[in-house]
Amino acid sequence: MIKETFGSHKPIIAMIHFPPLPGSPLYDKAGGVQKIIDSAAADIAALQQGGVDAVMFGNEGDRPYLLKASPETLATMAFAIGELKRSIKVPFGVNYLWDPVASVGLGIASGARFVREIFTGVYDSDMGLWAPDAAKALRLRADCDRTDLKLMFNINAEFASPIGDRPIAARAKSAVFSSLADIILVSGPMTGEAVETGNLKLVKDVLPNTPVFANTGVNIDNVADILKIADGAVIGTHFKVGGDTWKSVDGDRVKRFMDKVGKIR
């Protein structure tokens, strides 16, 4: 399933972070939607030239984040992906922060191969009380006959703490059993902050037959240790100029990283 979906063993999925979309507080009205598309197009070119295995569109620029997608941001994201997908030569996925139903809808409409989101649990978060609806998201996937669309369940949300005291391994195992997760993602506390390898190992040990990916903070210094445990990784911040989440992709950083991954795999 991993190679079929992402095109490689131990895949590296690179983020295409959209700048703030219309309706978001930091949206650049002067630059407009075309500036957003141009920014993403430059990142796509650098990531593909650097040799990443897959890419994923995300609306990281839409701070503060919504728990339910707004019509204008979701529509703009769909339009931009439609304009950009013709230039994509690798598998791609989508993620609307932080709405799993909107993310699945976006994946269906855009022809994505995979979707990432928080699908399960209840959280005390920067965005308020956070209770995603996995059942609605999976029913949407089934109703639209897109069971091939793989769902990546992030089980320890950034910018949030789970309500309750179930350990991470129990939450991961439960997400697969009760909510049909295709892939489990393990994150650090914030975007760009490293996942704990101890947590990765706990999750992988209880889910030997389910892909488990590192979702945040993977870099050229820790990737060897991460990929000894994880089945793949999602990378955004490390590929940016100076390792700054909000800057453009640095093609040289991407190539150096992928050259190292090539020696590891």
Side-chain angles (χ1 to χ4, degrees):
M1 185 261 279
I2 291 179
K3 191 166 184 180
E4 178 184 357
T5 303
F6 304 104
S8 176
H9 170 68
K10 299 268 184 181
I12 300 300
I13 304 165
M15 291 304 304
I16 302 163
H17 290 154
F18 280 125
L21 302 171
S24 299
L26 299 178
Y27 172 58
D28 180 358
K29 294 180 181 178
V33 173
Q34 190 58 51
K35 186 175 180 180
I36 293 170
I37 292 172
D38 291 344
S39 170
D43 284 353
I44 290 169
L47 291 168
Q48 292 188 147
Q49 289 169 9
V52 301
D53 302 304
V55 296
M56 178 159 52
F57 293 99
N59 62 324
E60 264 76 6
D62 284 346
R63 297 171 290 165
Y65 300 117
L66 296 169
L67 297 179
K68 296 293 181 184
S70 72
E72 64 273 26
T73 52
L74 185 60
T76 304
M77 197 169 171
F79 171 77
I81 294 170
E83 291 292 293
L84 292 161
K85 66 181 289 187
R86 69 194 72 177
S87 67
I88 299 176
K89 302 173 184 176
V90 296
F92 78 90
V94 299
N95 180 201
Y96 186 102
L97 302 170
W98 294 96
D99 187 335
V101 178
S103 293
V104 170
L106 185 60
I108 291 166
S110 65
R113 290 198 196 177
F114 55 95
V115 168
R116 176 185 72 174
E117 243 314 311
I118 301 292
F119 287 92
T120 54
V122 178
Y123 301 86
D124 164 18
S125 81
D126 292 352
M127 292 73 68
L129 187 63
W130 183 354
D133 191 339
K136 189 173 181 180
L138 271 82
R139 280 162 174 75
L140 175 62
R141 180 178 69 165
D143 289 345
C144 292
D145 197 24
R146 279 299 313 274
T147 53
D148 61 306
L149 181 66
K150 301 305 180 186
L151 303 184
M152 307 173 77
F153 281 47
N154 185 1
I155 57 160
N156 55 327
E158 301 105 291
F159 316 110
S161 298
I163 294 175
D165 57 4
R166 286 190 302 162
I168 190 169
R171 286 186 280 123
K173 189 173 182 180
S174 179
V176 174
F177 183 89
S178 71
S179 299
L180 309 179
D182 296 309
I183 297 162
I184 294 293
L185 302 178
V186 183
S187 304
M190 286 181 62
T191 299
E193 294 192 13
V195 59
E196 293 185 16
T197 54
N199 282 340
L200 266 180
K201 188 173 187 310
L202 286 169
V203 172
K204 191 60 193 174
D205 284 349
V206 298
L207 293 173
N209 299 316
T210 299
V212 175
F213 286 29
N215 190 49
T216 64
V218 180
N219 58 54
I220 199 166
D221 296 319
N222 66 17
V223 65
D225 291 335
I226 293 290
L227 291 184
K228 285 178 183 176
I229 305 167
D231 299 297
V234 179
I235 301 177
T237 295
H238 183 67
F239 286 159
K240 302 298 187 71
V241 173
D244 184 334
T245 303
W246 311 116
K247 293 188 176 176
S248 59
V249 169
D250 181 337
D252 289 337
R253 286 174 74 98
V254 178
K255 188 175 186 309
R256 287 194 299 272
F257 182 93
M258 293 307 299
D259 284 346
K260 181 167 184 177
V261 169
K263 295 173 183 176
I264 295 169
R265 296 196 288 210

